[in-house]
Amino acid sequence: MDATTLIWALILIAVGLAVGFLLGRSQARSQAGEQRTELARAKAERDASAAQLQAITSDRTSMAHEFQRLSAATAERQAVSVDRTAKARLDQTRSLLEPISTSLQAMNDRLLQVERDRAQGAADLRRQVETVASSSESLRKETAALVTALRQPQVRGAWGETQLRRVVEIAGLVERCDFDTQVAVATDDGGLRPDMRVAMADGRAIFVDAKTPLGNFIDAFATDDPDQRTALLGQYVKNVVTHINQLGAKNYWRLDAGSPEMVILFLPSDALLQVALDERPDLHEYAAAHSVFLASPSILIPVLRAVQHGWKQAAFAQSARRVAALGSELYERLATMSGHLDKLGRSLATSVEAYNRTIGSLEQRVLVSARRINELQGSDGELESPRAVETSPRVMTAPELVSDEDRRPGNPKAC
């Protein structure tokens, strides 16, 4: 592009800008006139609107006052109506809620009573818990003292003997009559002293010896170590076996001839026997082989009850023998009395026969002569003849009431 062309381009641009400026100015002036016209019209409309607004405001103020007056009257009427309605509804609600109120009051009283009872129960429970705690502590101390005491051999022995005495008393046996305790007997091998000798009805006896191997038993259940408990229970069973061997060697049954070859080893607690059997199930067989029989209170009581029943049966048998002897004696005395009655009957028969003969002699001899004398003297009286006795004594025919003489052949009573 050369310089001339560039100049012409610049000139054209300048001319375009001038024309555009002039056109824009003219358009701006026309728009300004229009704007002034519009502004005047707007002002007129504004003034009209202001006047209308003022009129509307005035009307609204008057309407507001009228609305306030009307609304106040309406509100007053509605308030009165609402008050009446509310009062009626309140009365209805009160009548409906009165049973509920009564129930709620009763429930409240009951809740108060329950709360008082709960508080009293809590206090009583607290006292009982304190009492139980105190009793538990006292029981713990007494148990500890009892365990300590039972570890001593002499105390264990006394407890076993006391339990044995209690068992025989429960079975109904009487001391000095049905059993004896600590009877010492001298033998060639030395003295024997069984704890108890139970007499049986046939004159024989059963011997009972109480053993209380509590040492290892208490220690076994006082430890928490299973291995140590097993070892202590094994030692406990060994002690029981040792007592069986020693008791079987004493042969207590030799003290009473004819007594059963056995002796009862009494363990004063069922737990002692049960634990021993749990550890050694064949303990009964082992003891029986040594003529020893193991017994706890639950076993010994029925055995002694059977002995006591034997005493009752012996007493019944003795009473039966006495009754039989008295019957025999009564029978003999009845036989003797029947002989006396038979003699009395024969005497009565003889008397009746003599009386009848006398009556016959009176009628046939005496009265005949007396009547003749009466006829000669002319007396009106008449002598009556006495009556003969026609009933004879009954003859006894029962074998028990017939004497030996009447049983002889030829005697009419013998048949």
Side-chain angles (χ1 to χ4, degrees), residues 335-345 396:
T336 302
M337 183 179 177
S338 66
H340 297 323
L341 288 174
D342 183 63
K343 291 179 181 179
L344 178 60
M396 293 182 294

Side-chain angles (χ1 to χ4, degrees), residues 382-399:
E382 184 177 355
L383 292 175
E384 294 183 359
S385 301
R387 299 179 181 179
V389 178
E390 299 177 356
T391 303
S392 60
R394 182 175 178 176
V395 179
M396 293 182 294
T397 59

Side-chain angles (χ1 to χ4, degrees), residues 49-64:
S49 297
Q52 187 179 4
L53 177 60
Q54 186 176 3
I56 291 173
T57 301
S58 176
D59 293 340
R60 195 175 79 176
T61 301
S62 61
M63 290 178 65

Side-chain angles (χ1 to χ4, degrees), residues 284-305:
H284 274 307
E285 290 80 359
Y286 180 83
H290 291 75
S291 299
V292 176
F293 293 89
L294 303 176
S296 62
S298 61
I299 297 176
L300 187 58
I301 289 176
V303 173
L304 297 180
R305 177 67 71 173

Side-chain angles (χ1 to χ4, degrees), residues 131-151:
T131 302
V132 170
S134 176
S135 300
S136 299
E137 180 63 21
S138 176
L139 181 61
R140 186 189 64 80
K141 293 179 180 179
E142 292 179 358
T143 303
L146 178 61
V147 171
T148 302
L150 289 177
R151 293 181 184 277

Side-chain angles (χ1 to χ4, degrees), residues 156-170 195-196 198 207-213 236 240 243-244 247 252 263-270 272-273 287 292-304:
R156 292 201 301 266
W159 177 63
E161 294 173 1
T162 302
Q163 286 292 96
L164 179 58
R165 182 183 296 273
R166 177 61 179 159
V167 165
V168 295
E169 290 176 354
I170 293 174
D195 291 335
M196 181 172 293
V198 180
F207 294 94
V208 183
D209 200 78
K211 299 298 180 182
T212 315
Y236 161 72
V240 174
H243 288 313
I244 292 174
L247 192 58
Y252 279 140
V263 61
I264 297 177
L265 174 58
F266 175 71
L267 297 176
S269 173
D270 292 330
L272 294 173
L273 179 58
V292 176
F293 293 89
L294 303 176
S296 62
S298 61
I299 297 176
L300 187 58
I301 289 176
V303 173
L304 297 180

